[in-house]
Amino acid sequence: MYLFLSTSSINAQITRGAVEDEIYISISSYWDFSNFHMVILHSTDNGENLSLQYENIDNSPEGEMQIRKIIGDATPGVIYNYSFGNGLWVSFDYGVNWIFKDNSSLYARYWGGETEGVIYRADSGLLYKSNDYAQSYEVVASPPYGQISDVGFTDGEFFGIYGFAGEGYYIHHSIDYDNTYTEIPIDSSVAFYSVSGLSPKICRGAESGEIYLLSWWPNYHYKIFHSVDTGYTWTEMYESDDIDTYFGGLGFIAGRKEGSFYVIRGRIDPFCNYTLLYIDYSEDYGETFTTYFHRLDEYFPEGSYHNDILSFNFNDFEPPVIGEIDEENHKVFFTVSYGTDFTSLVPTITVSQYASVEPASGIVNDFSIPV
């Protein structure tokens, strides 16, 4: 599970499911003029088709789950979600229903996905392991070294990346629950920069010893590298075009099928109503991609993200005067009798859900001047 970029509008995350071709995505979907709405989406065909599993506002009501960081599991149908202050939650039905598990501290971090029911928690200088879907934990490292990014392929194996932009980065690899680790330098041609706070990130692949690295470079573009020897050597697979990092979010993950790799890109639409989601899927280790595009307004209640005037009438006339709405030019036209007094008319206005209008419906206004 990796989140690279979040702005005030977009949070975009992806995690692998329990079987090949399966992914979950959590992402900001739309703005209702009061709250951002977050959704969890599920796909069993590499992102070509998506189903809406769960939806809530960003600042979720007390007692409800706040959608944020999602983690897959090796058990079909199981997925975790956690956020600072809202704790860890688990779903056993592909993200539809959620059960609260723990809220140990604001700074707890979690990893999992390789073994059924196993999830790790780092908190207060200790590394904990659960074998029963976060029902109970045991301490396995005290203290861990704290550079964990992803779990590995064997019990107790972890990967991480750390370092400083302009100085150098290192792979952090442990096979004993992070009690000890190996430090592997990364060549500066693979990872060297941090662009607007965007640093190199890694994730495990589908085979033992396989990891991917996504690094950022000047002019806001990224490169994807692939290693089959836990990071001692790297092959560059892909270099992106320059991208706009301000109005979008980006995440990546390797799938369970050999060679499968995903990049998700979320952008707000030109009118800032909803998210445009691009899922880039590779089956050749990130060298080439097929892109699946989704407008996330297809998952909303009809009209929930619009700010449209649906009708604008003067019902005090006999017969009522019905306004003709020109959406393109943002005007409303009326036909009334010659000599009509426009200085004190009462409009009846209906607007799309969550939208508001000024002057308000049912209030006397002077329409002899622009309003």
Side-chain angles (χ1 to χ4, degrees):
M1 171 275 301
Y2 293 92
L3 170 65
F4 273 155
L5 175 64
S6 64
T7 68
S8 60
S9 301
I10 298 291
N11 287 301
Q13 298 211 9
I14 182 172
T15 190
R16 62 181 71 85
V19 298
E20 294 182 355
D21 305 326
E22 182 183 32
I23 55 173
Y24 293 88
I25 294 169
S26 68
I27 191 168
S28 307
S29 58
Y30 71 101
W31 167 251
D32 69 8
F33 305 98
S34 297
N35 297 283
F36 286 106
H37 285 245
M38 300 288 295
V39 294
I40 292 178
L41 306 171
H42 179 232
S43 175
T44 57
D45 57 7
N46 301 306
E48 183 174 3
N49 295 285
L50 298 173
S51 60
L52 174 62
Q53 304 301 98
Y54 187 82
E55 183 265 349
N56 207 341
I57 60 175
D58 187 35
N59 297 312
S60 57
E62 185 176 355
E64 296 184 14
M65 187 184 76
Q66 181 186 46
I67 299 173
R68 193 62 85 238
K69 302 178 186 297
I70 52 174
I71 307 169
D73 191 271
T75 307
V78 175
I79 182 175
Y80 301 90
N81 177 90
Y82 79 97
S83 66
F84 298 133
N86 190 248
L88 180 72
W89 298 66
V90 63
S91 172
F92 294 96
D93 57 2
Y94 299 91
V96 177
N97 297 288
W98 292 86
I99 302 168
F100 175 76
K101 280 300 181 180
D102 74 65
N103 194 10
S104 55
S105 81
L106 290 175
Y107 305 104
R109 296 178 297 153
Y110 299 87
W111 304 271
E114 181 58 27
T115 305
E116 291 191 10
V118 173
I119 187 166
Y120 295 92
R121 182 185 78 205
D123 185 26
S124 302
L126 300 173
L127 181 65
Y128 298 83
K129 178 184 179 182
S130 174
N131 294 300
D132 54 9
Y133 304 98
Q135 189 69 28
S136 60
Y137 290 92
E138 61 174 332
V139 176
V140 293
S142 174
Y145 283 93
Q147 306 296 337
I148 299 172
S149 298
D150 203 357
V151 298
F153 299 90
T154 60
D155 189 36
E157 184 179 25
F158 292 92
F159 295 100
I161 185 171
Y162 71 100
F164 299 94
E167 297 181 14
Y169 290 96
Y170 301 84
I171 293 295
H172 173 101
H173 182 222
S174 174
I175 57 173
D176 61 356
Y177 299 103
D178 212 35
N179 284 291
T180 62
Y181 68 95
T182 300
E183 183 181 273
I184 306 169
I186 302 174
D187 190 85
S188 60
S189 64
V190 176
F192 190 69
Y193 297 97
S194 176
V195 179
S196 295
L198 302 174
S199 301
K201 303 292 183 182
I202 66 169
C203 72
R204 74 173 189 269
E207 304 290 336
S208 179
E210 181 185 25
I211 53 177
Y212 290 86
L213 184 150
L214 190 149
S215 56
W216 288 91
W217 299 83
N219 299 322
Y220 294 95
H221 71 284
Y222 63 86
K223 297 180 182 180
I224 297 171
F225 293 87
H226 179 241
S227 175
V228 294
D229 55 8
T230 57
Y232 284 95
T233 60
W234 296 93
T235 301
E236 182 178 334
M237 307 304 296
Y238 180 82
E239 182 173 4
S240 76
D241 295 330
D242 295 347
I243 62 176
D244 183 352
T245 60
Y246 185 77
F247 289 106
L250 186 146
F252 77 97
I253 198 74
R256 293 196 180 270
K257 182 165 59 179
E258 183 179 351
S260 61
F261 190 81
Y262 306 86
V263 176
I264 60 169
R265 297 172 286 127
R267 292 186 54 81
I268 55 175
D269 81 295
F271 299 101
C272 300
N273 288 324
Y274 54 85
T275 298
L276 308 174
L277 174 62
Y278 302 83
I279 302 173
D280 302 323
Y281 167 62
S282 174
E283 53 187 10
D284 56 7
Y285 305 93
E287 185 172 4
T288 62
F289 290 89
T290 298
T291 299
Y292 302 116
F293 170 70
H294 301 273
R295 279 179 44 153
L296 294 193
D297 59 340
E298 64 186 273
Y299 301 102
F300 310 156
E302 186 173 356
S304 61
Y305 61 93
H306 291 293
N307 55 351
D308 299 328
I309 295 177
L310 304 179
S311 66
F312 196 125
N313 308 325
F314 293 111
N315 292 332
D316 290 343
F317 289 92
E318 184 59 46
V321 175
I322 308 300
E324 180 182 343
I325 300 171
D326 182 352
E327 294 183 357
E328 182 176 353
N329 296 300
H330 307 290
K331 295 180 179 180
V332 182
F333 297 95
F334 304 93
T335 300
V336 296
S337 301
Y338 179 78
T340 297
D341 181 9
F342 296 107
T343 61
S344 57
L345 298 179
V346 180
T348 300
I349 310 169
T350 60
V351 296
S352 53
Q353 187 180 11
Y354 305 115
S356 60
V357 64
E358 182 67 32
S361 178
I363 303 299
V364 176
N365 270 277
D366 182 358
F367 285 90
S368 65
I369 58 177
V371 295

